[in-house]
Amino acid sequence: MHKFFTALVLVMLLMTPAMSSAHESHGKKSAMLVVSFGTSVPEARKAIGNIVDTVKKEFPSVDVRLAFTSNIIRRKIQREQGEFIPNPSQALAQLNDEGYSFVTVIPTHMIPGEEYDEVLGIVTAFAGIDGKFGFEGVRVCSPFLDGVGGCNVMADILMKRFAGQLEDKETGIILMGHGTPEHPANAQYLQLQLALNQRAYGRFFVGTVEAAPEIGDVVAELKRHPEIKKLTLSPLMIVAGDHAHNDLAGEDDPESWINVLKKEGYKDITTYLVGMGEDENLCRELIRKVYALYTDTADGEE
Ligand code: CO
């Protein structure tokens, strides 16, 4: 039975618009739900929008929706911008109510941390509902830094993203991840650091804003590389929102990374405050993950 559904969903996913009448005659509707932590910084929304647009372009016959996991951000957007963005369980309930049979959940999270666990919990719960309030199939993609393989892919994406900076042997690239202090998934940042070291030793320095490695660890590592005299600071996050603009590059905050690094004597510091969601190679990787859900038989079953 599983195989039948897998084949059916794959056909729906790959369907061209010309085939959509056949799809409708079967009465089975497919949707994709992009799930992000969210951001209340309007400027930073374009990174999430770019991911949604990439998914829409790749799967033109599938309906694509968006949900945010942060209730604080959802409420702030509702209050300040008058826009309602559902949380993942609201979005799935809505899709069920609208008669969708198959849903692919596409989280944009970097690590399989707390936020991702919560998405998994919701998807697992919906997958367990039989009858008219459930789906015939609901699956969820893995986050980007999901082990050795995912960290290698991300390292390759970062090598391309910072190819220009890498040409200058005196430039170090400082990446600010979010981090999660109470979760084993935080170790993914060190795995990524290893993957980056294997590709360009001494050029990338990964830290996090909420956990380890912290900026002090980044500074200590930089001191081991006196050949690095110039720095580029960039968020290792889907959006360049509050953390990127304040904790990383905030000129007024004495504890921002840019000010800490200036105090350490680095004079030539540039910032690249662009969310990873705007990176075309990262978006391609997300699409690959969606296809992998329906073509890799070993895992991805829900
Ligand atoms: Co945060």
Side-chain angles (χ1 to χ4, degrees), residues 36 44 57 59 92 95 155 161 190 194 196 216 228 240 243 266 272 278 280-281 285 300:
S36 165
K57 213 184 281 170
F59 305 104
L92 287 171
L95 287 169
R161 187 170 174 81
L190 288 177
L194 173 68
L196 290 166
I228 299 295
H243 288 308
Y266 294 94
Y272 183 60
E278 291 186 58
E280 287 318 305
N281 292 311
E285 171 58 11

Side-chain angles (χ1 to χ4, degrees), residues 167-182:
E167 273 175 31
D168 179 357
K169 296 274 179 258
E170 295 190 341
T171 296
I173 299 134
I174 313 287
L175 299 172
M176 177 190 259
H178 192 278
T180 176
E182 304 292 340

Side-chain angles (χ1 to χ4, degrees), residues 47-58:
I48 298 169
N50 186 52
I51 289 176
V52 172
D53 289 346
T54 304
V55 175
K56 281 183 177 166
K57 213 184 281 170
E58 185 70 25

Side-chain angles (χ1 to χ4, degrees), residues 10 13-14 32 54-55 58-59 104 106 140-154 156-157 280-296 299:
L10 187 60
L13 282 173
L14 305 180
M32 292 189 174
T54 304
V55 175
E58 185 70 25
F59 305 104
T104 308
I106 307 174
V140 59
C141 296
S142 60
F144 291 104
L145 304 179
D146 66 342
V148 176
C151 289
N152 282 337
V153 169
M154 182 61 76
D156 289 338
I157 291 170
E280 287 318 305
N281 292 311
L282 181 124
C283 287
R284 293 319 305 165
E285 171 58 11
L286 199 65
I287 297 298
R288 190 201 62 75
K289 281 174 171 295
V290 174
Y291 282 113
L293 264 189
Y294 294 98
T295 50
D296 293 358
D299 50 32

Side-chain angles (χ1 to χ4, degrees), residues 37 178 209-210 243:
F37 178 79
H178 192 278
V209 63
E210 303 283 1
H243 288 308

